[in-house]
């Protein structure tokens, strides 16, 4: 009788585990080397050939799953993005305004792209060509700028 009881308990545990695991869906990222924490090292202006070294500044792009978080200036931001391997499209920028339980909390849509310029973003929707991407370096090119990153 004890043996049947232990087998039944084990069977019930196994069945509960299967039900619990099957009720959850895990979303995985198809971003490959794009996922990670990137330090913006430099920005080139394509029209003038200008080069701005940012290696001593703390400007970061954090890429994970479907969001890009920008950190380092007066504000931090979130973008939705679409990545196809050779292009990166940023859209729907929000100022990260932390907790929504405060009077002025919650994320705020960005309506002026000027505050995004320290990160190499000129427009509320920005398209980049991915010129180089490895586990340690990334180069993005928009119509006006070329951005250089190292993985942090």
């Amino acid at each position: 009788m004890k043996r049947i009881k232990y087998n039944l308990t084990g069977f019930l545990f196994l069945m509960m585990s299967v039900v619990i695991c099957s009720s959850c869906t895990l979303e995985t990222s198809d971003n490959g080397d794009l996922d990670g924490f990137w330090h913006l090292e430099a920005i080139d202006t394509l029209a003038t050939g200008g080069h701005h070294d940012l290696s001593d500044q703390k400007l970061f792009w954090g890429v994970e799953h479907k969001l890009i978080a920008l950190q380092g200036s007066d504000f931090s931001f979130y973008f939705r993005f679409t990545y196809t391997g050779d292009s990166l499209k940023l859209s729907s920028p929000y100022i990260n305004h932390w907790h929504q339980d405060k009077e002025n909390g919650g994320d705020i849509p960005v309506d002026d792209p000027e505050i995004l310029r320290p990160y190499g973003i000129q427009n509320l929707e920005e398209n980049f060509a991915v010129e180089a991407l490895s586990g340690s370096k990334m180069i993005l090119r928009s119509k006006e700028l070329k951005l250089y990153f190292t993985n942090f």
Side-chain angles (χ1 to χ4, degrees):
M1 190 66 164
K2 271 188 173 180
R3 185 173 183 182
I4 293 172
K5 183 178 177 182
Y6 287 126
N7 286 343
L8 184 59
T9 304
F11 177 75
L12 289 175
F13 178 74
L14 177 64
M15 291 308 294
M16 289 300 294
S17 297
V18 169
V19 169
I20 289 170
C21 289
S22 66
S23 66
C24 300
T25 58
L26 295 175
E27 291 191 35
T28 59
S29 171
D30 294 329
N31 298 330
D33 285 337
L34 181 64
D35 277 343
F37 200 59
W38 296 93
H39 181 223
L40 181 58
E41 298 279 327
I43 298 176
D44 289 348
T45 304
L46 300 176
T48 64
H51 179 80
H52 187 56
D53 181 11
L54 300 168
S55 59
D56 62 341
Q57 295 188 31
K58 296 177 181 175
L59 296 172
F60 296 96
W61 289 31
V63 181
E64 185 176 2
H65 195 52
K66 297 179 182 179
L67 290 176
I68 294 180
L70 308 180
Q71 299 174 340
S73 70
D74 294 336
F75 301 100
S76 61
F77 305 94
Y78 288 106
F79 278 87
R80 295 270 183 213
F81 73 92
T82 306
Y83 172 61
T84 62
D86 62 351
S87 69
L88 178 66
K89 180 180 179 180
L90 305 183
S91 62
S92 305
Y94 282 84
I95 297 172
N96 180 3
H97 213 233
W98 302 101
H99 299 290
Q100 294 183 11
D101 56 351
K102 295 182 180 177
E103 181 180 325
N104 61 352
D107 297 336
I108 301 167
V110 174
D111 57 6
D112 181 5
E114 187 65 32
I115 61 175
L116 303 170
R117 291 185 186 261
Y119 297 97
I121 298 171
Q122 306 290 333
N123 303 294
L124 297 178
E125 287 194 3
E126 191 76 80
N127 293 303
F128 292 98
V130 179
E131 289 194 349
L133 179 60
S134 67
S136 61
K137 299 284 183 189
M138 177 170 64
I139 301 172
L140 302 177
R141 181 182 37 82
S142 68
K143 291 180 181 178
E144 301 172 21
L145 303 174
K146 188 179 281 194
L147 285 58
Y148 299 86
F149 297 87
T150 57
N151 200 324
F152 192 77

